[in-house]
Amino acid sequence: MTTDKPAAAAKAPREHSKAHRLVELLKIGTGASLEDMIEATGWQSHTVRAAMTGLRKRGYVIDRKVEGTTTVWSLEEPGA
């Protein structure tokens, strides 16, 4: 029995967890700034960045772009 998963299928965090809240925030059309993510989770900045690294390891593709003086992160659509 093989357990190969498609590359687009990322393992979702537990529902109602802070990591799940972070994923939902990153799914919003414009994405989220570090300050938005800190406010939504109550985590410190280094913890938010570590959580995004964890999401990448789970298979999420996180896009980063700079808008003016603010960096905004968002989840990339599968197949994009």
Side-chain angles (χ1 to χ4, degrees):
M1 182 164 111
T2 62
T3 59
D4 292 342
K5 296 179 186 175
K11 184 178 178 194
R14 239 176 350 137
E15 198 163 333
H16 304 296
S17 67
K18 289 182 181 181
H20 182 261
R21 201 175 314 162
L22 186 62
V23 168
E24 292 301 312
L25 187 62
L26 292 170
K27 283 183 181 178
I28 296 173
T30 58
S33 68
L34 184 61
E35 291 77 21
D36 294 336
M37 292 183 274
I38 289 170
E39 186 177 322
T41 60
W43 290 335
Q44 294 182 359
S45 61
H46 64 275
T47 308
V48 171
R49 289 185 185 102
M52 285 194 290
T53 298
L55 290 174
R56 285 184 183 105
K57 288 181 180 182
R58 288 179 178 212
Y60 287 92
V61 178
I62 300 175
D63 185 38
R64 178 181 158 250
K65 57 186 152 190
V66 178
E67 296 178 355
T69 59
T70 305
T71 303
V72 177
W73 289 267
S74 61
L75 286 180
E76 210 172 274
E77 291 298 320

